[in-house]
Amino acid sequence: MAAGDVESTGRAKPDLQRLPIGQSLVARGAISAEDLERGLAFQARFGGRLGGVLVRIGALAENELLAALSAQLGLPILDADAVPADPQTVLATIERSGIPVEWWLDQEAVAWETAVDGAIHAVARDPLSPSLNETLAAAFGTHHPIRWCLALNQDLDRLLDAVDQTLRQDRRNISDEVTHLRELAEEAPVVELVSNTLSQALNERASDIHVEPEEKLFRIRHRVDGVLHTRLTLPRDRFDAVASRVKLLAGMDIAERRLPQDGRTTQRINGQDVDIRVSALPGTWGESLVLRLLPKERQQFRLERLGMAADQRDCLTAAIHQPNGIILVTGPTGSGKSTTLYAALEAVNDGSKKIITVEDPVEYDIAGVNQVQVHTDIGYSFARALRSILRQDPDVIMIGEIRDRDTAEIAVQAALTGHLVLSTLHTNDALSAFTRLVDMGVEPFLVASAVRAVVAQRLVRRLCPDCSVPAEPPHASLLAELGKPAAQAQWRQAVGCPRCQRTGYQGRSGIYELVEVTEAIRSAILERKSTQELARIARQRGFRSLRQDGLIKAAAGLTSVDEVVRVTGLDAAET
């Protein structure tokens, strides 16, 4: 024991850090024993921390209490200069915590991050509150240590008031901004511009409208037959009004421009009802908006209208009329997979079968079919929906996409227990679908037993019938890949005219490759044969690649060789 720990009377000094705060204050001489008794009686009746009670009854000065607490708890005392002068510093840290500002104000607590060490400094009316400490520790995690400090009530009050006033002002500013944006969105020129854009896009048979801001301008582009065309370029200062108009129509939050949003609406355009799905994605110069146009009045889906060759259509028709098994349609986004699935559903929808689909999203309503929308944000995924669907006694199930192992395994089990399952898969060609399922974790023997057929597809633009002209035969390597005499071909190329918007093309048709799972293919899957070996076996039954099917359509004058090469690639490997 150090000499300084012994009083002049010879008695050992009390360890102030281990004493309760009341006894510690008495030992310090800050209060008398009578003051402590009065404080304890007041606390028993009205509650509260003893130190605060002693300050309230006038027995103790607040700075003396802070000195005692600092010694007892080992917490530093902040003077007025150390408290942040700018409330935005506190609000930025509070926003990072993910806890509403109202909660902080209710707890009478503030926190801010220091640039020196990256630590979170926190001050509260009651820094000893266990729930407060646990909440902040969970909010900021272990990467940002929390350093509690003590401060005078007047300094804490000043900071809490500044934060509250700033929050109120921000809310007023947001409210004013929303009001201003609404006013801009309702102005006649803006309403007319958006309406004309929708009308023009529908007239051009556009599938999507892209509104893209840049530093000094923004562009409106239409995706027609799979290709984007710039239709309008306007000054950047008009973008906010146009974006607000679109977001208002789609039921989106026009004040939120930092996070992605999705919305939808139904509008009457050119005399027909059109479903419009809107996606907003924040970017460097503002939100990029994409509007997907889905006219409700469409021709009925028919396999005969897809552009599939007769032998492929017959094979697919036979597969979808099987009582069970999986039929997969593969290809990238926008290749027409959903249209093919809907056409297949229409082909089997004769009123005698229970048909259920699970989609994300449901694109078109089909009479006589039970369609289910997944909601991944609440955990209602494809796999979870499928488990419920199987209890509905379905005959045919359509799954919008097989994305993961759970969905794949449930689909396989459904196929093996007497259900016909139609679905899509993201692969580059039909033969890769078997490998993809195995890579997902489905056993090869289950893949071989469940899958009946796989279709891969792309969309090529049709030549405009008004302006296409005869063309020279393609390169010899392409003719060799075609595998048919060039004398029978009617090669044509695009030119462009007013009817086709100078593109040379009008409308689209599918090109396909189809693999029927025969006994030979089934054995190859079980033996984990390569894609090349599977292709060799499939060719014996008339299999042809996407490129070959595209070249056949080009030779018939339906599309151009350039378009087939654009869609299938210059260096597509022969399978």
Side-chain angles (χ1 to χ4, degrees):
M1 183 179 295
D5 292 333
V6 180
E7 298 180 357
S8 59
T9 58
R11 292 178 301 175
K13 287 183 180 180
D15 188 347
L16 299 181
Q17 288 186 332
R18 296 183 180 181
L19 289 176
I21 187 64
Q23 296 180 25
S24 175
L25 290 169
V26 172
R28 284 172 170 273
I31 61 173
S32 65
E34 291 77 11
D35 289 332
L36 177 59
E37 290 180 5
R38 285 197 301 129
L40 290 171
F42 190 98
Q43 182 189 40
R45 184 175 179 181
F46 298 104
R49 295 282 184 186
L50 179 58
V53 167
L54 292 169
V55 173
R56 285 181 63 186
I57 65 176
L60 180 68
E62 187 181 1
N63 58 348
E64 292 179 330
L65 172 63
L66 291 184
L69 288 172
S70 178
Q72 185 184 49
L73 303 175
L75 301 179
I77 301 174
L78 295 180
D79 56 31
D81 295 335
V83 177
D86 184 4
Q88 291 292 350
T89 305
V90 175
L91 284 169
T93 303
I94 288 176
E95 184 177 349
R96 255 188 46 205
S97 73
I99 304 173
V101 181
E102 290 77 8
W103 180 89
W104 288 84
L105 295 175
D106 184 61
Q107 296 292 319
E108 295 185 296
V110 290
W112 63 91
E113 185 176 356
T114 57
V116 178
D117 54 6
I120 304 294
H121 289 252
V123 178
R125 193 81 68 193
D126 184 5
L128 302 180
S129 168
S131 62
L132 178 62
N133 279 266
E134 290 173 5
T135 302
L136 295 197
F140 291 108
T142 57
H143 298 294
H144 296 280
I146 299 173
R147 296 183 181 173
W148 284 97
C149 305
L150 302 174
L152 291 172
N153 279 333
Q154 62 184 24
D155 294 333
L156 177 59
D157 288 337
R158 176 174 55 81
L159 190 53
L160 287 170
D161 287 342
V163 169
D164 187 37
Q165 290 298 323
T166 302
L167 181 63
R168 292 175 185 270
Q169 182 61 44
D170 288 345
R171 285 175 175 169
R172 283 195 293 270
N173 292 341
I174 291 174
S175 178
D176 292 343
E177 182 181 11
V178 170
T179 301
H180 178 62
L181 288 173
R182 285 183 181 274
E183 291 174 352
L184 288 176
E186 297 297 338
E187 290 180 353
V190 177
V191 173
E192 185 177 350
L193 173 61
V194 173
S195 297
N196 288 342
T197 297
L198 292 171
S199 176
Q200 182 184 6
L202 200 64
N203 285 336
E204 295 179 1
R205 300 171 294 101
S207 59
D208 304 89
I209 301 173
H210 293 244
V211 185
E212 302 164 327
E214 298 180 7
E215 182 178 7
K216 297 180 180 179
L217 53 87
F218 74 96
R219 294 182 300 167
I220 297 178
R221 299 197 289 173
H222 297 174
R223 187 178 293 280
V224 181
D225 294 334
V227 179
L228 283 170
H229 302 276
T230 300
R231 290 291 177 255
L232 199 60
T233 301
L234 295 170
R236 175 61 179 79
D237 56 12
R238 297 189 62 185
F239 172 76
D240 289 338
V242 172
S244 297
R245 178 63 184 172
V246 172
K247 292 168 73 174
L248 275 177
L249 290 176
M252 300 159 72
D253 183 359
I254 61 175
E256 179 58 75
R257 289 180 284 186
R258 301 169 300 171
L259 297 173
Q261 290 190 77
D262 294 303
R264 65 183 303 167
T265 181
T266 299
Q267 297 292 317
R268 186 78 174 173
I269 306 172
N270 298 348
Q272 62 175 309
D273 292 328
V274 180
D275 282 334
I276 304 174
R277 293 201 187 93
V278 181
S279 171
L281 181 68
T284 305
W285 303 112
E287 292 174 293
S288 172
L289 302 174
V290 177
L291 292 73
R292 170 65 58 88
L293 306 181
L294 300 169
K296 289 188 174 182
E297 298 174 9
R298 298 176 64 97
Q299 294 180 341
Q300 286 188 314
F301 297 101
R302 290 286 185 269
L303 290 175
E304 296 80 7
R305 296 175 178 171
L306 299 180
M308 195 174 287
D311 59 333
Q312 295 171 328
R313 186 173 63 250
D314 291 344
C315 182
L316 179 60
T317 301
I320 63 177
H321 283 92
Q322 293 292 321
N324 56 62
I326 297 178
I327 297 164
L328 296 172
V329 182
T330 75
T333 301
S335 60
K337 300 188 299 296
S338 295
T339 300
T340 300
L341 287 180
Y342 283 139
L345 287 180
E346 289 282 15
V348 299
N349 186 17
D350 57 5
S352 66
K353 298 181 177 68
K354 174 85 168 184
I355 303 175
I356 305 180
T357 74
V358 51
E359 307 171 58
D360 184 23
V362 175
E363 293 192 13
Y364 301 107
D365 297 328
I366 305 178
V369 175
N370 299 277
Q371 295 174 269
V372 177
Q373 168 77 55
V374 303
H375 296 282
T376 53
D377 54 337
I378 60 172
Y380 193 56
S381 62
F382 279 110
R384 186 172 176 183
L386 276 175
R387 293 188 183 96
S388 301
I389 285 172
L390 290 174
R391 293 192 286 271
Q392 290 281 309
D393 187 31
D395 298 294
V396 181
I397 302 170
M398 193 269 270
I399 308 169
E401 181 184 346
I402 294 179
R403 296 176 178 173
D404 50 47
R405 178 176 179 174
D406 285 347
T407 308
E409 288 182 339
I410 297 171
V412 168
Q413 290 302 323
L416 294 176
T417 53
H419 304 85
L420 179 67
V421 180
L422 309 177
S423 188
T424 70
L425 199 64
H426 279 291
T427 62
N428 288 328
D429 53 57
L431 294 163
S432 298
F434 308 113
T435 306
R436 178 80 177 110
L437 289 174
V438 172
D439 289 343
M440 281 184 176
V442 182
E443 292 294 335
F445 75 90
L446 292 175
V447 175
S449 302
V451 179
R452 294 283 181 267
V454 182
V455 178
Q457 68 179 75
R458 301 289 189 276
L459 294 176
V460 295
R461 292 178 293 173
R462 292 173 175 266
L463 286 166
C464 175
D466 287 357
C467 63
S468 65
V469 297
E472 294 294 324
H475 190 271
S477 61
L478 290 176
L479 287 175
E481 190 171 346
L482 175 62
K484 67 181 292 184
Q488 300 177 10
Q490 299 177 1
W491 308 104
R492 301 187 71 82
Q493 64 184 12
V495 176
C497 67
R499 181 178 178 183
C500 62
Q501 304 289 325
R502 304 292 178 184
T503 63
Y505 299 94
Q506 192 172 48
R508 289 191 290 179
S509 177
I511 58 174
Y512 303 89
E513 60 183 35
L514 188 146
V515 179
E516 181 185 7
V517 181
T518 61
E519 284 300 325
I521 292 289
R522 190 170 290 114
S523 298
I525 296 171
L526 290 172
E527 297 172 10
R528 296 177 182 260
K529 296 288 187 181
S530 66
T531 303
Q532 289 75 17
E533 181 62 21
L534 287 171
R536 186 190 64 78
I537 298 171
R539 282 197 199 94
Q540 297 173 3
R541 294 292 298 267
F543 169 80
R544 55 183 176 272
S545 67
L546 285 167
R547 180 99 76 99
Q548 288 174 315
D549 195 52
L551 290 172
I552 290 173
K553 289 179 170 62
L558 178 68
T559 187
S560 67
V561 174
D562 290 342
E563 177 67 4
V564 173
V565 170
R566 181 187 71 85
V567 171
T568 61
L570 278 169
D571 55 350
E574 292 186 31
T575 54

